[in-house]
Amino acid sequence: MDHQVHTLPNGIRLLFKHTPSHITHCCFMVNAGARDEAEGKDGLAHFIEHLLFKATKRRNTAQILNHLELVGADLNAYTTKEYTCLHASLLKQHLERALDLFEDLVFHSTFPQEELEKERGVILDEIASYLDQPEEAIMDDFEGLIFKGHTLGNNILGATESVKNLSKTDIDHFIQSNYNTAEMIFGVSGDYDFKKLIKLFEKYFAAIPAHHPVKHRLAPKAVKAEDISVSKPITQTHCVLGGQAYSSAHPYRYGLLLLNNYLGGMGMSSRLNLEIREKHGIAYTIESSYTSLTDTGIFNIYFGTDEEKAAKAMKLVYRELKRLRDKKLGTVQLHQAKQKFIGQIALAEENRMSLILSMTKSLLDFNRIDTLEEVFEKVNAVTAEELLEISNEILQPEALSVLTFEPE
């Protein structure tokens, strides 16, 4: 095992990965996100994440922000469809400051009305800024299309109208309904003695009362593929095509991860980049992505190009997808695809903050964490036949929704 776990009676867990370094990376992750919002409360989980930094029973905003920054630490947070996470990077001797602060923010924030109003304005500006970036906005609109009628289709930032109406009562209800102490993990990557770390962890989190609300997450239903074009005040055409995909527990997950990386993943040598950018020169950015969630997934391909080149770019994309559906990868192609993907995974482990975040998420999702060697084994076990089957399930034209932003 390359990690250790300690669980308190209240259910809160400590995840530790020993790393001989003067720098510590840590996070506090809660299994509650945008998909857990009630109807009409879009943006509530993200609103709470912002407000956690505003006031607690012991600290005002300045004291919260200074507590770690005064020792040179980096403090931040994010919200996803399924999680809320605080994280920090700091010198190892200051870890107790992070424990103290995270406990205070998660369990003792007061959400004063004046701070609600100020942060509401900040988030409304954030939404407006986001809408001015078509390559970002189209992704949220696309998820709204493939998860129509489900909270997974909600924009994490929320809609302008919903954010305007969020209240302290909404905040209190969301936390009471979704902040389960058995679904909270403090993850640490650093140079510590595990027994001493447990004592420090218990000092701040052992007294937290156990709280175990039951979530009622519903898996999204399949939706009929649609092809939608929207006129926007933009100069370039932006396009996304894709659909629902495998969940994080699906046996073909690693196959789709490998296929996605081969098709349009990281690096300049992906099939889509070589064909559409390098060979034909008709798109600066073209990429594919696969995100697995606990009960579904998202696969999509994105490109941006000049309006007159969009139809050709789309034709070339469909041609690449047809090749993957019609013919298995050869032995050399498959080996090269695996070597590339395994190398990228290994390099990603060098980013220790990303690694501890990934490990924490895995522990929340599966109650286990694969070692790097186990991950490599799963990638190497993928067969050409499996990739062909995945391609014919995920990449069928009739299963792909298309969303296009066109210049007015």
Side-chain angles (χ1 to χ4, degrees):
M1 297 289 288
D2 68 344
H3 63 275
Q4 294 167 286
V5 178
H6 177 74
T7 305
L8 297 175
N10 56 23
I12 303 174
R13 282 172 283 179
L14 168 67
L15 165 63
F16 174 57
K17 179 175 175 62
H18 181 261
T19 311
S21 172
H22 292 296
I23 303 300
T24 292
H25 301 283
C26 60
C27 64
F28 192 89
M29 193 174 292
V30 182
N31 189 16
R35 72 173 299 173
D36 301 308
E37 296 158 351
E39 186 176 351
K41 304 301 179 184
D42 312 12
L44 180 55
H46 175 254
F47 196 30
I48 292 170
E49 175 229 306
H50 273 236
L51 288 165
L52 291 176
F53 292 89
K54 295 306 170 185
T56 70
K57 294 175 182 177
R58 294 193 286 129
R59 295 180 172 96
N60 59 32
T61 305
Q63 290 169 327
I64 289 169
L65 298 179
N66 284 333
H67 190 68
L68 289 181
E69 289 193 3
L70 283 176
V71 294
D74 178 52
L75 172 66
N76 216 325
Y78 64 84
T79 307
T80 71
K81 301 281 185 179
E82 299 188 310
Y83 309 101
T84 303
C85 182
L86 310 176
H87 58 91
S89 299
L90 60 162
L91 286 169
K92 71 175 186 178
Q93 62 264 35
H94 300 309
L95 177 62
E96 186 167 2
R97 281 177 171 260
L99 283 156
D100 179 21
L101 185 63
F102 287 177
E103 187 272 343
D104 197 23
L105 299 184
V106 175
F107 298 102
H108 307 294
S109 284
T110 54
F111 309 107
Q113 191 61 39
E114 63 272 19
E115 294 295 345
L116 260 72
E117 298 310 321
K118 282 195 291 185
E119 208 57 32
R120 194 191 312 277
V122 169
I123 292 173
L124 290 172
D125 283 344
E126 186 179 1
I127 292 171
S129 173
Y130 208 68
L131 292 174
D132 283 340
Q133 303 173 60
E135 65 276 12
E136 301 286 347
I138 195 171
M139 292 298 183
D140 283 321
D141 288 0
F142 180 75
E143 289 178 13
L145 184 63
I146 66 170
F147 294 123
K148 186 177 294 184
H150 193 280
T151 51
L152 281 172
N154 292 348
N155 189 322
I156 292 170
L157 299 181
T160 300
E161 284 308 309
S162 63
V163 171
K164 283 182 178 178
N165 294 312
L166 295 176
S167 67
K168 187 175 185 303
T169 300
D170 295 327
I171 291 169
D172 292 339
H173 183 263
F174 184 88
I175 290 174
Q176 282 299 310
S177 301
N178 294 287
Y179 276 41
N180 185 334
T181 51
E183 296 179 337
M184 297 178 175
I185 298 175
F186 182 72
V188 183
S189 170
D191 190 10
Y192 303 99
D193 175 84
F194 188 50
K195 290 181 179 179
K196 292 180 180 178
L197 186 59
I198 289 173
K199 288 182 180 179
L200 196 59
F201 174 64
E202 290 177 337
K203 175 181 176 181
Y204 288 96
F205 291 101
I208 300 297
H211 183 62
H212 303 305
V214 179
K215 269 196 199 67
H216 298 286
R217 285 180 175 172
L218 297 175
K221 296 178 181 178
V223 298
K224 185 178 179 181
E226 296 185 73
D227 189 336
I228 296 174
S229 295
V230 182
S231 294
K232 297 272 187 179
I234 53 180
T235 58
Q236 192 182 44
T237 295
H238 298 264
C239 185
V240 178
L241 64 155
Q244 294 183 27
Y246 304 134
S247 71
S248 53
H250 197 283
Y252 277 1
R253 174 175 170 249
Y254 276 93
L256 184 51
L257 284 168
L258 178 62
L259 182 70
N260 169 71
N261 198 60
Y262 173 78
L263 177 64
M266 290 175 58
M268 303 292 284
S269 61
S270 71
R271 287 300 313 159
L272 290 175
N273 195 73
L274 288 173
E275 182 69 13
I276 288 144
R277 174 174 168 158
E278 299 301 328
K279 184 176 178 180
H280 292 275
I282 56 175
Y284 175 71
T285 300
I286 181 156
E287 58 196 12
S288 65
S289 69
Y290 164 48
T291 302
S292 60
L293 303 169
T294 52
D295 51 13
T296 186
I298 305 162
F299 174 81
N300 64 56
I301 296 168
Y302 162 81
F303 65 84
T305 188
D306 295 334
E307 188 174 9
E308 64 273 13
K309 298 176 182 175
K312 183 177 181 181
M314 184 65 79
K315 182 179 178 181
L316 291 170
V317 168
Y318 277 115
R319 190 170 75 180
E320 287 303 311
L321 299 186
K322 187 175 187 301
R323 285 177 178 171
L324 288 172
R325 295 195 310 272
D326 289 349
K327 187 178 179 181
K328 291 189 300 184
L329 292 189
T331 304
V332 174
Q333 284 179 306
L334 181 59
H335 176 73
Q336 289 175 339
K338 288 178 179 180
Q339 289 300 107
K340 177 184 175 183
F341 191 37
I342 285 170
Q344 290 172 347
I345 293 169
L347 286 176
E349 289 244 331
E350 291 294 301
N351 185 331
R352 293 196 294 112
M353 174 54 84
S354 294
L355 179 59
I356 196 64
L357 291 171
S358 175
M359 291 175 70
T360 303
K361 179 179 176 296
S362 182
L363 192 60
L364 276 175
D365 286 349
F366 308 115
N367 202 32
R368 72 181 302 274
I369 301 166
D370 287 338
T371 65
L372 199 57
E373 290 71 24
E374 288 171 328
V375 171
F376 293 166
E377 285 177 11
K378 290 180 180 180
V379 173
N380 279 319
V382 176
T383 65
E385 290 77 14
E386 184 180 321
L387 292 181
L388 189 66
E389 187 175 339
I390 292 168
S391 298
N392 278 282
E393 183 176 357
I394 301 295
L395 307 181
Q396 284 287 353
E398 58 269 23
L400 301 175
S401 288
V402 180
L403 178 61
T404 306
F405 283 179
E406 299 176 328
E408 291 177 344

